[in-house]
Amino acid sequence: MAGAGISTPSGIPDFRSPGSGLYHNLQRYDLPYAEAIFDMDFFHQNPNPFFALAKELYPGKYRPNMTHYFVRLLHKKSQLLRMYTQNIDGLERLAGIPPQMLVEAHGTFATATCTVCWSKYDGEKLRPDVMSGRVPKCSTCKGVVKPDIVFFGEELPPYFLKYLTDFPLADLLIVMGTSLEVEPFASLADAARGSVTRLLINRDLVGPFAWRRRPHDVVQLGDVVDGVRALVDALGWTREVEALVAAGAEKAAAKTEE
Ligand code: APR
């Protein structure tokens, strides 16, 4: 289970860290309250703040970090059952984690939907408008096209229900970089069986790790990359994960030269 805290090492602000979190830096968007940026009613009145954020977060600007490549290595070693992420930065796909191994619970910029006629769009089609600050319009009905990011009050994607079979099967749950403040995602932490170890790698104690600790829970507080590095060292996987990080950086450099 992951949240915005796994992407801060890549340079993307999280939502709630005091001072640096996105919700503390939205003044320039002139919002009635921070979460309005993900509120459908507000979006229909004024889509500009969301699209200004989309321009900031649109895939391509940031690179995955060791945390993302660690999950890719878990998959490579057939140890990954699924990665549940709240993040919309797309860094999991960019790190090479196959989409079928991902549940992007709060949606993705990879696809978009017209808010009037429900026509589907590839996220890349919206890039020119988003990058030049224009609100993307549907080619069929001229309605506003919204990336498939889950707004507050909206249904989570149907594949979120995979948790009903994934969590009872899991024999280890790793929770990284999330405040576990947003439902229903946060409650997944309690969906693991009681006998299963739950490992929190996070700057601070959150959710059940703070107030409903289980006997097998393990907590590694501090920076997420430091925590992942300690785990990877203990597993003897340091060389392999560093090779993935280096290959990812090389691919990014080659792409920039294109
Ligand atoms: N190392 C370790 N922990 C970190 C780091 C880091 N480098 N950076 C941030 N964190 C921790 C923060 O201390 C916090 O506990 O990660 C957590 C991030 O919490 P939030 O900012 O609340 O992000 P997240 O949990 O993903 O928010 C959930 O809220 O608004 C919605 O849809 C939005 O998906 C988002 C959801």
Side-chain angles (χ1 to χ4, degrees), residues 29 52 69 77 103 125 131 135-136 151 169-170 182 196 205 217 221 226 228 239 241 254:
Y29 295 125
Y69 288 111
K77 290 176 174 287
V103 169
K125 286 273 286 178
M131 289 310 156
V135 175
F151 276 36
L169 286 174
V182 174
V196 163
L205 273 181
D217 285 351
L221 291 189
D226 295 345
V228 164
R239 255 184 337 91
V241 82

Side-chain angles (χ1 to χ4, degrees), residues 48-251:
N48 293 303
F50 170 77
F51 280 109
L53 176 67
K55 180 175 177 182
E56 184 52 33
L57 288 180
Y58 226 66
K61 190 170 169 187
Y62 297 97
R63 310 300 312 158
N65 62 69
M66 180 178 280
T67 313
H68 302 93
Y69 288 111
F70 163 62
V71 180
R72 160 100 178 271
L73 188 56
L74 283 173
H75 170 61
K76 219 172 141 203
K77 290 176 174 287
S78 312
Q79 302 294 316
L80 180 68
L81 176 56
R82 198 89 56 202
M83 177 182 196
Y84 285 72
T85 183
Q86 298 168 92
N87 297 344
I88 58 176
D89 52 40
L91 294 187
E92 301 90 356
R93 293 181 188 223
L94 215 50
I97 300 165
Q100 70 274 16
M101 299 307 289
L102 286 175
V103 169
E104 293 159 317
H106 292 173
T108 168
F109 283 111
T111 54
T113 308
C114 173
T115 55
V116 176
C117 69
W118 303 102
S119 302
K120 281 286 174 200
Y121 286 83
D122 180 298
E124 279 314 303
K125 286 273 286 178
L126 273 62
R127 184 185 292 276
D129 281 344
V130 172
M131 289 310 156
S132 43
R134 287 191 305 273
V135 175
K137 293 289 170 49
C138 177
S139 48
T140 314
C141 76
K142 301 293 166 253
V144 171
V145 178
K146 171 182 154 293
D148 290 340
I149 301 296
V150 179
F151 276 36
F152 286 110
E154 277 192 307
E155 287 289 304
L156 266 60
Y159 51 75
F160 178 72
L161 293 172
K162 274 183 190 163
Y163 81 88
L164 293 168
T165 47
D166 284 344
F167 277 74
L169 286 174
D171 47 25
L172 170 66
L173 176 64
I174 304 177
V175 180
M176 303 190 281
T178 176
S179 59
L180 289 181
E181 289 216 2
V182 174
E183 295 297 355
F185 188 90
S187 298
L188 291 181
D190 287 322
R193 284 171 289 131
S195 58
V196 163
T197 290
R198 300 184 305 181
L199 165 62
L200 173 70
I201 304 180
N202 201 59
R203 188 176 293 140
D204 35 43
L205 273 181
V206 292
F209 295 92
W211 60 74
R212 249 193 334 277
R213 196 77 74 94
R214 290 178 181 174
H216 303 288
D217 285 351
V218 175
V219 171
Q220 165 83 26
L221 291 189
D223 180 79
V224 65
V225 172
D226 295 345
V228 164
R229 195 182 287 282
L231 176 57
V232 158
D233 287 349
L235 289 164
W237 294 357
T238 306
R239 255 184 337 91
E240 289 174 275
V241 82
E242 283 176 351
L244 285 176
V245 173
E250 231 171 83
K251 215 169 104 193

